[in-house]
Amino acid sequence: ETVEFVGRPVLKWESSIVNGGGQEKSTLEFSSLHPLPEREHLAFVLTTPAGKQYLIGTREGRYPSITYSETTGETGRSAAVRTYKVTHIGLKSVLPCVL
């Protein structure tokens, strides 16, 4: 399902060593006029302006954590939006993919 967004989504990830092993933590932030489904395990495929695609999340455990904040907007200036923050931690959190 395509997620329509407002503004510029940002994906960043970092790698670290924890208990002698590697792990990645990714964070995706975006705003949308339409709410995402709640109480469902979601994964995200992102396409960059350069056409690269990345997968965040899996069908198994260690699902992404999704939080949001909401604003009513300003009359005549900005729309009411939900700003999402998607966080995922795994051995590899951001996987290159091709759809």
Side-chain angles (χ1 to χ4, degrees), residues 26 28 42 44 62-67 85-89:
S26 62
L28 168 64
L42 301 176
F44 296 84
R62 287 226 163 167
Y63 304 108
S65 168
I66 303 170
T67 60
K85 183 175 185 178
V86 180
T87 306
H88 183 256
I89 298 174

Side-chain angles (χ1 to χ4, degrees), residues 5-90:
F5 57 87
V6 177
R8 293 183 181 170
V10 175
L11 170 63
K12 59 184 174 182
W13 64 97
E14 57 190 35
S15 179
S16 62
I17 304 296
V18 177
N19 296 326
Q23 80 173 20
E24 278 186 357
K25 178 180 179 182
S26 62
T27 305
L28 168 64
E29 294 185 58
F30 65 94
S31 297
S32 180
L33 300 174
H34 310 288
L36 294 176
E38 294 186 20
R39 296 180 181 80
E40 292 184 29
H41 298 299
L42 301 176
F44 296 84
V45 175
L46 291 89
T47 303
T48 69
K52 292 183 179 181
Q53 294 182 314
Y54 297 101
L55 170 67
I56 299 171
T58 63
R59 296 181 73 155
E60 301 85 35
R62 287 226 163 167
Y63 304 108
S65 168
I66 303 170
T67 60
Y68 68 86
S69 60
E70 198 159 358
T71 178
T72 59
E74 295 180 48
T75 305
R77 292 186 175 190
S78 61
V81 296
R82 236 181 220 194
T83 300
Y84 286 97
K85 183 175 185 178
V86 180
T87 306
H88 183 256
I89 298 174

